[in-house]
Amino acid sequence: MDMQNDKIVVGLDIGTTKICVIVGHKNDYGKLDVLGMGKAVSDGVVKGKVINIEKTILAIKKAVEEAEDNSGIDIKVVNVGIAGHHIRSSIQRGSITRDDRDEEITVEDVNRLTNDMHRMVIPAGNQIIHVMPQVYTVDYDDGIKDPVGMTGIRLEADFHVITADINSINNIQKCVKRAGLDIENMILEPLASSLAVLSDDEKEAGVCLVDIGGGTTDIAIFHENIIRHTGVIPFGGNIITSDIKEGCMVMQQQAELLKTKFGRAISTEASENEIVSIPGLRNRAPKEISIKNLAHIVEARMEEIIDLVHAEILASGYEGRLAGGIVITGGGSQMHSARQLVEYLTGMDARIGYPNEHLGRTKIEAVKSPMYATSVGLVLAGYRSIDERENRYLEAKLNNQNMFINHKQKGVKKEGDFFSKIINKTKSFLIDDFDEKDDY
């Protein structure tokens, strides 16, 4: 097993509904073995933003302790997800001039160009969290996916730059640090989810990932294996719960149970005669709720969310190029008939995204649910980059390191063999000489 696969990686998803910690380890087959999971109710986060530091710290500590008990691992470093309506993305162009036209473009040249983009001027109060190359141009020859190995002086690229509100970043960092943890990477949540639920074929053909969480709906569009567009819609499953609470005049917990157990995204699938009875308040009669009325409430809000998703796809300019259709994941994807409603409103193929493809052995069946796609993706992000080109560069680097180590080990072995032969020969001479002395 190589050094990359030998490490333990922890994902920390600070969501609006829940805070989840997953501890993972890559096995010999390249799959992710989940060693432990912990979760806690998230009271201090609204629409992806931390609004109560103390409550969030307590929830993180609770989730971490549970994950440590399950896995037997002492957690110190985590990969953290970030989301929220404050996330912004834009396409920016960068360039560098190389010294020698005849020298091949190296991975170092590509990294230098990418690192230069981190120094670009952005709006006050924001901070860059991701810089992802789209396509490269070498001496005005454009449309190049991977320039490594080519020759030229001027190297340019279009970059997908993602920024976040610096206060939101600081609040997440503060919560994690005060919970006794260090941050290895901070990753945009839809990008993490994409690692868990999308196949390489889908990303090559063109696909839109829609992660319907508790407070936000996150979008990531891929085409030709390159991230093309990201977006965050400030609505998620919690707003459906709020609508049910107000529309049916019930308590928050009752509204959540009604949504998850009896909610339907398409109202025509609900029967007129179906009624559910829920306990009334103190000394009051039970309340009867029509499943048909409940479905109308859910459908109206789901339609609004899907329409906003469709608007993001149109704004990206990739609507007609997504042969892989739409993949919906997150807790909201488990709503009855959600997939069918997405297909009906967008006219595109859709499927539910389960984080099963990359999972190996686990005793925790819950981790296979779309609700934990982001958490699993954050662990996978500890092993591989969102950009496949980065993975190839890292793989080549690790192979070179392994070759160098093996070469050194072989050299040591040969040297050891040489000296051991001399010592053995010397021993044999001494023994023979000693035997001869005994004969006298």
Side-chain angles (χ1 to χ4, degrees):
M1 191 180 290
D2 63 39
M3 291 178 291
Q4 176 73 357
N5 287 354
D6 201 29
K7 63 180 181 177
I8 303 288
V9 176
V10 181
L12 170 59
D13 177 12
I14 303 174
T16 304
T17 309
K18 67 184 184 309
I19 287 174
C20 181
V21 174
I22 289 182
V23 184
H25 175 264
K26 265 203 173 180
N27 61 30
D28 293 337
Y29 304 101
K31 298 290 185 180
L32 184 69
D33 290 342
V34 176
L35 305 177
M37 182 175 82
K39 55 185 178 178
V41 175
S42 181
D43 291 327
V45 183
V46 173
K47 294 185 179 179
K49 291 184 75 171
V50 175
I51 60 164
N52 189 308
I53 299 286
E54 294 303 324
K55 284 184 178 180
T56 305
I57 292 167
L58 288 173
I60 292 171
K61 284 181 176 178
K62 185 181 176 183
V64 167
E65 283 172 14
E66 188 181 332
E68 286 180 332
D69 291 341
N70 287 343
S71 64
I73 303 293
D74 187 20
I75 297 170
K76 294 296 181 189
V77 182
V78 292
N79 288 309
V80 182
I82 184 168
H85 194 46
H86 57 93
I87 302 292
R88 295 286 182 271
S89 65
S90 62
I91 303 297
Q92 304 290 340
R93 193 163 183 84
S95 65
I96 60 168
T97 303
R98 302 174 64 247
D99 296 330
D100 193 340
R101 178 189 294 276
D102 297 324
E103 285 287 326
E104 288 187 355
I105 293 170
T106 63
V107 174
E108 285 71 25
D109 291 327
V110 173
N111 288 339
R112 180 158 67 93
L113 175 59
T114 304
N115 291 335
D116 278 353
M117 295 303 295
H118 283 276
R119 292 194 286 270
M120 64 176 283
V121 178
I122 58 171
N126 288 316
Q127 183 175 318
I128 293 172
I129 54 172
H130 291 294
V131 172
M132 293 170 290
Q134 305 279 285
V135 289
Y136 293 90
T137 301
V138 178
D139 287 352
Y140 308 104
D141 184 11
D142 58 8
I144 298 164
K145 276 191 184 180
D146 190 348
V148 174
M150 299 181 71
T151 55
I153 286 182
R154 190 170 178 79
L155 177 63
E156 300 174 84
D158 290 328
F159 288 91
H160 187 76
V161 179
I162 298 173
T163 60
D165 176 56
I166 198 162
N167 289 330
S168 297
I169 294 171
N170 289 340
N171 285 338
I172 290 173
Q173 289 174 337
K174 190 184 295 181
C175 290
V176 174
K177 189 172 182 181
R178 284 174 59 182
L181 304 168
D182 291 324
I183 297 175
E184 184 176 11
N185 294 304
M186 187 173 284
I187 301 139
L188 184 66
E189 291 193 353
L191 299 183
S193 301
S194 72
L195 290 176
V197 303
L198 297 182
S199 69
D200 289 340
D201 288 342
E202 283 176 324
K203 287 191 275 190
E204 182 65 38
V207 66
C208 176
L209 174 78
V210 179
D211 187 343
I212 307 172
T216 60
T217 296
D218 304 328
I219 297 161
I221 294 174
F222 292 82
H223 186 257
E224 294 181 342
N225 240 329
I226 297 169
I227 181 74
R228 303 291 183 172
H229 181 81
T230 52
V232 179
I233 294 166
F235 301 128
N238 283 6
I239 201 164
I240 299 172
T241 305
S242 296
D243 288 351
I244 294 169
K245 178 187 172 185
E246 292 178 16
C248 298
M249 297 185 70
V250 294
M251 302 291 286
Q252 180 81 14
Q253 288 180 328
Q254 294 172 332
E256 183 65 27
L257 283 170
L258 284 170
K259 180 185 76 174
T260 54
K261 290 187 177 297
F262 304 103
R264 286 171 170 77
I266 299 175
S267 59
T268 53
E269 292 186 359
S271 170
E272 295 278 0
N273 303 321
E274 274 188 285
I275 301 290
V276 60
S277 180
I278 60 171
L281 294 173
R282 188 176 180 183
N283 298 327
R284 288 176 176 81
K287 185 183 282 285
E288 292 188 339
I289 307 292
S290 163
I291 298 298
K292 188 77 170 179
N293 289 343
L294 181 67
H296 279 300
I297 294 169
V298 173
E299 183 183 45
R301 188 61 80 173
M302 284 294 287
E303 279 188 357
E304 183 182 3
I305 291 170
I306 295 164
D307 284 342
L308 289 168
V309 168
H310 198 201
E312 284 280 345
I313 295 171
L314 289 169
S316 74
Y318 281 87
E319 189 198 18
R321 292 186 274 178
L322 303 180
I326 296 173
V327 175
I328 57 172
T329 193
S333 68
Q334 296 180 290
M335 178 69 69
H336 190 279
S337 304
R339 180 185 63 81
Q340 291 89 331
L341 186 63
V342 168
E343 289 185 334
Y344 175 71
L345 292 176
T346 64
M348 299 168 70
D349 290 335
R351 73 169 178 89
I352 307 294
Y354 294 89
N356 293 349
E357 184 183 344
H358 303 288
L359 289 179
R361 295 169 301 163
T362 177
K363 295 177 183 176
I364 308 163
E365 287 299 312
V367 82
K368 297 176 181 177
S369 164
M371 286 178 66
Y372 301 103
T374 300
S375 306
V376 172
L378 288 168
V379 180
L380 290 169
Y383 293 100
R384 54 195 290 251
S385 168
I386 292 124
D387 193 324
E388 291 300 319
R389 292 166 292 191
E390 286 290 329
N391 295 321
R392 288 201 301 273
Y393 299 157
L394 180 61
E395 200 173 308
K397 185 179 178 182
L398 286 170
N399 286 339
N400 287 339
Q401 285 177 351
N402 290 337
M403 283 173 65
F404 179 70
I405 290 165
N406 289 337
H407 179 71
K408 282 187 74 177
Q409 286 173 345
K410 283 177 184 176
V412 169
K413 188 178 178 184
K414 283 178 182 176
E415 191 178 322
D417 287 347
F418 176 72
F419 282 114
S420 64
K421 282 177 184 175
I422 292 173
I423 290 164
N424 288 335
K425 273 192 175 184
T426 307
K427 277 182 182 176
S428 65
F429 291 147
L430 289 169
I431 290 165
D432 289 343
D433 189 41
F434 184 76
D435 290 341
E436 284 173 14
K437 284 179 180 176
D438 282 350
D439 289 340
Y440 287 111

